[in-house]
Protein backbone atom coordinates (compact mmCIF):
# COMPACT_ATOMS: atom_id res chain seq x y z
CA UNK A 1 0.00 0.00 0.00
CA UNK A 2 1.22 3.48 -0.81
CA UNK A 3 2.08 5.88 1.92
CA UNK A 4 1.10 9.11 0.12
CA UNK A 5 -1.08 8.78 -3.03
CA UNK A 6 -1.12 12.58 -3.62
CA UNK A 7 2.63 12.64 -4.06
CA UNK A 8 2.44 10.21 -6.98
CA UNK A 9 -0.21 12.39 -8.61
CA UNK A 10 2.02 15.45 -8.62
CA UNK A 11 5.01 13.52 -9.96
CA UNK A 12 3.11 11.98 -12.86
CA UNK A 13 4.32 13.28 -16.23
CA UNK A 14 1.84 11.53 -18.53
CA UNK A 15 -0.33 14.05 -20.38
CA UNK A 16 1.74 17.16 -19.65
CA UNK A 17 2.24 17.85 -23.34
CA UNK A 18 -1.53 17.81 -23.89
CA UNK A 19 -2.09 20.24 -21.03
CA UNK A 20 0.64 22.59 -22.24
CA UNK A 21 -0.80 22.47 -25.75
CA UNK A 22 -4.26 23.32 -24.40
CA UNK A 23 -2.88 26.37 -22.60
CA UNK A 24 -1.01 27.65 -25.66
CA UNK A 25 -3.39 26.67 -28.46
CA UNK A 26 -6.07 29.20 -27.58
CA UNK A 27 -3.83 32.31 -27.72
CA UNK A 28 -2.09 31.08 -30.87
CA UNK A 29 -5.41 30.38 -32.61
CA UNK A 30 -6.68 33.83 -31.57
CA UNK A 31 -3.55 35.41 -33.01
CA UNK A 32 -3.90 33.44 -36.25
CA UNK A 33 -7.53 34.49 -36.68
CA UNK A 34 -6.65 38.12 -35.91
CA UNK A 35 -3.89 38.18 -38.53
CA UNK A 36 -6.20 36.56 -41.08
CA UNK A 37 -9.05 39.02 -40.43
CA UNK A 38 -6.84 42.12 -40.50
CA UNK A 39 -5.41 40.89 -43.78
CA UNK A 40 -8.92 40.38 -45.13
CA UNK A 41 -9.87 43.91 -44.05
CA UNK A 42 -6.82 45.36 -45.84
CA UNK A 43 -7.63 43.33 -48.96
CA UNK A 44 -11.24 44.56 -48.89
CA UNK A 45 -10.10 48.17 -48.60
CA UNK A 46 -7.74 47.67 -51.55
CA UNK A 47 -10.59 46.18 -53.60
CA UNK A 48 -12.83 49.14 -52.78
CA UNK A 49 -10.09 51.63 -53.66
CA UNK A 50 -9.42 49.95 -56.99
CA UNK A 51 -13.16 49.93 -57.75
CA UNK A 52 -13.37 53.66 -56.99
CA UNK A 53 -10.33 54.37 -59.17
CA UNK A 54 -11.79 52.43 -62.10
CA UNK A 55 -15.18 54.13 -61.68
CA UNK A 56 -13.70 57.65 -61.60
CA UNK A 57 -11.56 56.83 -64.63
CA UNK A 58 -14.60 55.48 -66.46
CA UNK A 59 -16.37 58.82 -65.94
CA UNK A 60 -13.29 60.91 -66.72
CA UNK A 61 -12.48 59.28 -70.05
CA UNK A 62 -16.18 59.15 -70.98
CA UNK A 63 -16.20 55.39 -71.42
CA UNK A 64 -19.31 53.81 -72.89
CA UNK A 65 -19.64 51.81 -69.65
CA UNK A 66 -20.50 55.03 -67.77
CA UNK A 67 -22.25 56.97 -70.52
CA UNK A 68 -25.51 56.31 -72.29
CA UNK A 69 -26.20 57.98 -75.66
CA UNK A 70 -23.25 60.35 -75.16
CA UNK A 71 -24.59 61.61 -71.84
CA UNK A 72 -23.38 60.77 -68.36
CA UNK A 73 -25.33 58.07 -66.52
CA UNK A 74 -24.90 57.74 -62.75
CA UNK A 75 -26.74 54.41 -62.74
CA UNK A 76 -24.47 52.99 -65.46
CA UNK A 77 -21.44 54.16 -63.49
CA UNK A 78 -22.79 52.54 -60.34
CA UNK A 79 -23.33 49.27 -62.20
CA UNK A 80 -19.80 49.49 -63.60
CA UNK A 81 -18.29 50.05 -60.13
CA UNK A 82 -20.37 47.15 -58.77
CA UNK A 83 -19.00 44.97 -61.56
CA UNK A 84 -15.40 45.91 -60.75
CA UNK A 85 -15.99 45.23 -57.04
CA UNK A 86 -17.73 41.96 -57.95
CA UNK A 87 -14.57 40.91 -59.77
CA UNK A 88 -12.83 41.17 -56.39
CA UNK A 89 -15.62 39.15 -54.78
CA UNK A 90 -17.23 42.09 -52.98
CA UNK A 91 -20.89 43.07 -53.23
CA UNK A 92 -21.38 46.80 -52.77
CA UNK A 93 -24.99 48.03 -52.44
CA UNK A 94 -26.09 50.69 -54.94
CA UNK A 95 -26.77 53.20 -52.17
CA UNK A 96 -23.12 52.97 -51.03
CA UNK A 97 -21.66 54.21 -54.33
CA UNK A 98 -21.66 57.96 -55.03
CA UNK A 99 -20.42 58.87 -58.53
CA UNK A 100 -20.04 62.56 -59.41
CA UNK A 101 -19.31 63.66 -62.97
CA UNK A 102 -17.82 67.09 -62.28
CA UNK A 103 -16.51 68.17 -58.88
CA UNK A 104 -13.54 69.69 -57.11
CA UNK A 105 -10.84 67.39 -55.74
CA UNK A 106 -8.55 69.13 -53.33
CA UNK A 107 -8.69 72.67 -54.63
CA UNK A 108 -8.77 71.85 -58.34
CA UNK A 109 -12.02 71.79 -60.31
CA UNK A 110 -12.90 69.56 -63.25
CA UNK A 111 -12.60 66.09 -61.77
CA UNK A 112 -14.82 63.02 -61.80
CA UNK A 113 -15.14 61.40 -58.40
CA UNK A 114 -16.40 58.10 -57.03
CA UNK A 115 -16.86 57.46 -53.32
CA UNK A 116 -17.65 54.01 -51.93
CA UNK A 117 -18.63 53.13 -48.37
CA UNK A 118 -18.73 49.53 -47.23
CA UNK A 119 -19.52 47.90 -43.91
CA UNK A 120 -16.87 45.29 -43.17
CA UNK A 121 -17.82 42.68 -40.61
CA UNK A 122 -15.46 40.04 -39.37
CA UNK A 123 -16.38 36.37 -39.17
CA UNK A 124 -14.91 36.18 -35.68
CA UNK A 125 -16.70 39.18 -34.16
CA UNK A 126 -16.20 38.50 -30.47
CA UNK A 127 -12.51 37.77 -30.99
CA UNK A 128 -11.77 41.02 -32.86
CA UNK A 129 -14.35 43.62 -31.81
CA UNK A 130 -12.42 46.41 -33.58
CA UNK A 131 -13.40 44.92 -36.96
CA UNK A 132 -17.05 44.27 -36.17
CA UNK A 133 -19.21 46.35 -38.54
CA UNK A 134 -16.31 48.65 -39.42
CA UNK A 135 -17.09 51.29 -42.07
CA UNK A 136 -14.52 51.35 -44.87
CA UNK A 137 -14.42 54.29 -47.29
CA UNK A 138 -12.65 54.62 -50.63
CA UNK A 139 -12.58 57.79 -52.75
CA UNK A 140 -10.93 58.47 -56.07
CA UNK A 141 -10.74 61.42 -58.47
CA UNK A 142 -9.87 61.46 -62.16
CA UNK A 143 -9.59 64.52 -64.46
CA UNK A 144 -12.60 65.06 -66.72
CA UNK A 145 -11.80 64.63 -70.39
CA UNK A 146 -13.22 67.66 -72.23
Amino acid sequence: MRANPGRAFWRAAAGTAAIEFAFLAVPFMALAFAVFEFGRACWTLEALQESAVQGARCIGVQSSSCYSSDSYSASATTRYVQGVAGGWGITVPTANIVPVQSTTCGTVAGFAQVQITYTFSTVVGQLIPALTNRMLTATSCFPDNP
Side-chain angles (χ1 to χ4, degrees):
M1 183 161 206
R2 290 188 162 160
N4 191 352
R7 188 173 209 190
F9 175 75
W10 290 108
R11 287 188 180 203
T16 56
I19 292 171
E20 289 170 357
F21 176 77
F23 282 138
L24 295 177
V26 173
F28 283 140
M29 291 300 288
L31 180 66
F33 280 127
V35 168
F36 178 76
E37 285 301 300
F38 277 111
R40 201 169 68 87
C42 290
W43 183 84
T44 301
L45 186 58
E46 175 63 25
L48 294 174
Q49 186 63 43
E50 183 61 26
S51 300
V53 166
Q54 292 299 321
R57 183 181 179 282
C58 181
I59 298 169
V61 299
Q62 299 179 358
S63 173
S64 62
S65 299
C66 296
Y67 281 74
S68 175
S69 302
D70 292 334
S71 64
Y72 170 70
S73 171
S75 61
T77 302
T78 300
R79 282 192 303 274
Y80 177 76
V81 171
Q82 285 175 324
V84 172
W88 286 80
I90 296 175
T91 303
V92 181
T94 302
N96 292 16
I97 301 170
V98 181
V100 180
Q101 181 185 19
S102 184
T103 189
T104 301
C105 287
T107 59
V108 181
F111 280 85
Q113 181 181 21
V114 173
Q115 181 175 8
I116 303 171
T117 55
Y118 182 79
T119 304
F120 179 83
S121 64
T122 179
V123 294
V124 287
Q126 297 299 327
L127 183 62
I128 311 169
L131 290 180
T132 302
N133 296 327
R134 182 80 171 188
M135 186 63 67
L136 301 178
T137 303
T139 304
S140 181
C141 295
F142 194 87
D144 280 329
N145 189 8

